[in-house]
Amino acid sequence: KQHMRNIVAVMDKGPESAEVQELIELSYQGMQQFYDCSYEIFRNLGQMYVDDKRFTAYYDQFHPELAIFMRDAMKYYADIKEGKIQK
C-alpha cells in the first residue's frame, strides 16, 4: 500500500516521468518474484487494472484515476524496455 501512495505522490509528474518510472520498475521487479513476467504480460496487466472493476476498485481507492495512470505508466515502461519507443 505504501508503494501505491508513493506513486500517487508523483502522479502529477506524468506516467513518463523518471520518478514514476522508477516506481514502476519496482512494481515490475515485484511481479518477477511471483512469476516470469514478460513486458507484454506487464503491459496487459496494466490494461486489466482498467478493464476489470475489481482491480480498478483496488487502485482507485488510493486515487480516483490511479488505475488509468498505472495502465499508462506500465505501458510506457514496457514499450521503453522493448525498444518500441525511446526516452
Side-chain angles (χ1 to χ4, degrees), residues 27-43 45 74:
S27 296
Y28 179 76
Q29 294 303 325
M31 291 295 169
Q32 294 291 15
Q33 294 178 6
F34 299 103
Y35 57 91
D36 183 15
C37 184
S38 69
Y39 297 127
E40 180 181 9
I41 290 171
F42 191 64
R43 182 184 300 107
L45 184 61
M74 291 166 75

Side-chain angles (χ1 to χ4, degrees), residues 19-64:
E19 295 89 344
V20 169
Q21 287 299 303
E22 287 174 13
L23 293 169
I24 296 299
E25 168 75 24
L26 292 175
S27 296
Y28 179 76
Q29 294 303 325
M31 291 295 169
Q32 294 291 15
Q33 294 178 6
F34 299 103
Y35 57 91
D36 183 15
C37 184
S38 69
Y39 297 127
E40 180 181 9
I41 290 171
F42 191 64
R43 182 184 300 107
N44 290 334
L45 184 61
Q47 185 62 50
M48 192 169 61
Y49 293 169
V50 174
D51 292 345
D52 187 314
K53 293 182 290 190
R54 297 167 295 180
F55 282 99
T56 303
Y58 173 77
Y59 286 96
D60 286 2
Q61 72 179 319
F62 298 100
H63 185 282

Side-chain angles (χ1 to χ4, degrees), residues 1 3 6 13 16 30 33-34 56 73:
K1 291 186 179 187
H3 183 64
N6 291 343
K13 298 180 184 299
E16 299 172 2
Q33 294 178 6
F34 299 103
T56 303

